[in-house]
Amino acid sequence: MIKTQSKLNRQNVFTGILSAMLACTGGAVLIVSSAEKAGFSTLELVAWLFAVYFFGGVLNIALTLIYKIPFGGAHSITAVAFLSTSATQFTVQELAGASIISGIIIAVFGLSGLSDKLLAFLPKPLMDAMLAGLIFNHIVKIVPAVKDAPFVGFMALVGFFLFPRLFKGFPPVLGVVCMGLLALWIGYDLPPMEVLPFALPHVVSPEFSINGLLSLAIPLSILVLSNDLFVALAALRKNGYEPSASKTITITGFATTAVAFLGGHSVNVGGMMSMLCSSEEAGAKESRPYAAIVSGTLVALFGLFAWKVIAFINILPSSFIWLLTGFSLMGVFIQSLQSAFSESAYRYSTAFTFAIAVANVAFLGVSAPVWCLAIGMVTMKLLGEGTRSNSNDAVRQNKQ
């Protein structure tokens, strides 16, 4: 519980700022990129950003104040990475319908405890292989981006490697942002920003379909659960807090359903953001919720100025967008890849899942994420993978 005499301090503020920047850098660029690929209008994009950032910040502030636990978050960046390659064949209405169902699924799992059964049915290595494969398409674009803009690429790399050494706790992607923008300021004449109108979220009439359920809703709900909520809950417990898993998941599900009617894909507690806000870097334990409040406030303010954010991103060179997107997803890509291929009991099934996700080819109207999981599951069953423990595999390999 927060003690009444605890006060806001520099550690709270600094950690809260870092937490907010994790959500407001690569996550925003990914949403803009996803909306452009899907052909969404500027007003639909502004509404999307406003919905997930403003209400995502408000949600985490409310959870922090109610439960006296440092919940940090906005929306699911891994879900946006998934949508950046999967939502291009869906309309805004279909995306809203899928997000509504996704939120309902999450809420039902929170109320019933079915999440453990789902994760047992869809092994985490296969989910990680799917996510790594989808993100890989963004990572490889770093190479042509550096070729097209060598000075910007060089400065971005300097920021990526140098900033974490100079500033303790400074995420590498923030070094990419700072040094990359400095390079643009020095070497490029950026065009004037377009004047975009302020736009509040508007109610979207959702459309529901089996394809939307299979290709978007189910993968979205699993990604939010496994890569955001479960990571956040584990991090909070590791740092000495006891959040209610059932309440956290259920509230997230209802909030995601509500914001889907406004064009958002999710609002949730974030894994890395909660890890930061609840860590020792955020100060004494009794004052760490202030870091989450700072983070949530900045995230909500970022959503309020969404139309300005889009106008700024639109004037940036595509090579810089590729660099920022690739570097912002690097950590998620490495974690997913390590998690997927560290399990020897899922050797071939993860390889097939990863390869099909990288190809990202839709077939019979069904998107690649569904195919890669389906074929990965079939491969797992046919080869009997996942039925033996890693320790047994290691023993057998040592005997050979």
Side-chain angles (χ1 to χ4, degrees), residues 326-346:
F327 279 114
S328 66
L329 291 173
M330 188 73 73
V332 178
F333 172 72
I334 293 172
Q335 291 174 1
S336 299
L337 202 64
Q338 288 177 335
S339 177
F341 291 99
S342 64
E343 294 282 354
S344 60
Y346 297 92

Side-chain angles (χ1 to χ4, degrees), residues 304-344:
L304 282 175
F305 292 93
W307 85 102
K308 292 293 186 182
V309 173
I310 295 170
F312 178 68
I313 292 176
N314 285 340
I315 68 173
L316 298 176
S318 58
S319 55
F320 180 72
I321 299 297
W322 293 345
L323 280 170
L324 183 56
T325 302
F327 279 114
S328 66
L329 291 173
M330 188 73 73
V332 178
F333 172 72
I334 293 172
Q335 291 174 1
S336 299
L337 202 64
Q338 288 177 335
S339 177
F341 291 99
S342 64
E343 294 282 354
S344 60

Side-chain angles (χ1 to χ4, degrees), residues 222-280:
I222 296 174
L223 287 172
V224 172
L225 283 167
S226 62
N227 290 282
D228 291 286
L229 291 171
F230 289 171
V231 174
L233 291 169
L236 289 169
R237 287 172 178 168
K238 177 184 177 182
N239 289 322
Y241 299 92
E242 294 297 331
S244 168
S246 176
K247 291 179 180 178
T248 303
I249 294 173
T250 302
I251 293 172
T252 294
F254 287 137
T256 293
T257 297
V259 83
F261 283 100
L262 303 176
H265 67 283
S266 74
V267 289
N268 54 265
V269 177
M272 291 302 298
M273 295 174 71
S274 294
M275 188 179 298
L276 268 176
C277 293
S278 64
S279 66
E280 293 181 357

